[in-house]
């Protein structure tokens, strides 16, 4: 998966992820999972999808951000 160009140094498909017993204490209480398609200037693309993810035992999260992250058109 990936974030905006100024935020991320690596990206690509994410497969088979287990996140459990997460406890958020502090300022920004959000969980961001941002799949998408990364497109280079030459038009080539990288699949930044998420498959087979389990997230359980989460505490303290007020906001879940789970959306397709693509460049604005």
């Amino acid at each position: 998966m990936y974030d905006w160009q100024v935020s991320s140094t690596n990206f690509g498909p994410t497969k088979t992820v287990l996140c459990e017993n997460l406890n958020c204490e502090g300022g920004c209480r959000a969980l961001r999972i941002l799949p998408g398609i990364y497109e280079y200037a030459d038009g080539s693309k990288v699949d930044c999808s998420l498959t087979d993810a389990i997230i359980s035992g989460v505490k303290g999260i007020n906001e879940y951000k789970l959306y397709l992250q693509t460049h604005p058109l």
Side-chain angles (χ1 to χ4, degrees):
M1 297 176 296
Y2 82 98
D3 208 344
W4 300 115
Q5 285 182 325
V6 296
S7 302
S8 183
T9 58
N10 54 16
F11 49 87
T14 302
K15 299 177 182 178
T16 314
V17 175
L18 171 62
C19 298
E20 58 185 356
N21 302 322
L22 305 174
N23 189 1
C24 182
E25 298 174 0
C28 183
R29 296 176 175 226
L31 178 64
R32 291 171 31 122
I33 299 176
L34 307 173
I37 299 170
Y38 186 87
E39 185 171 348
Y40 290 96
D42 68 0
S44 61
K45 298 177 182 179
V46 175
D47 172 20
C48 299
S49 61
L50 171 65
T51 42
D52 298 325
I54 298 172
I55 301 170
S56 67
V58 178
K59 296 178 182 177
I61 301 293
N62 296 330
E63 184 176 8
Y64 291 86
K65 298 178 180 183
L66 307 151
Y67 51 84
L68 180 65
Q69 180 85 315
T70 58
H71 294 290
L73 301 175

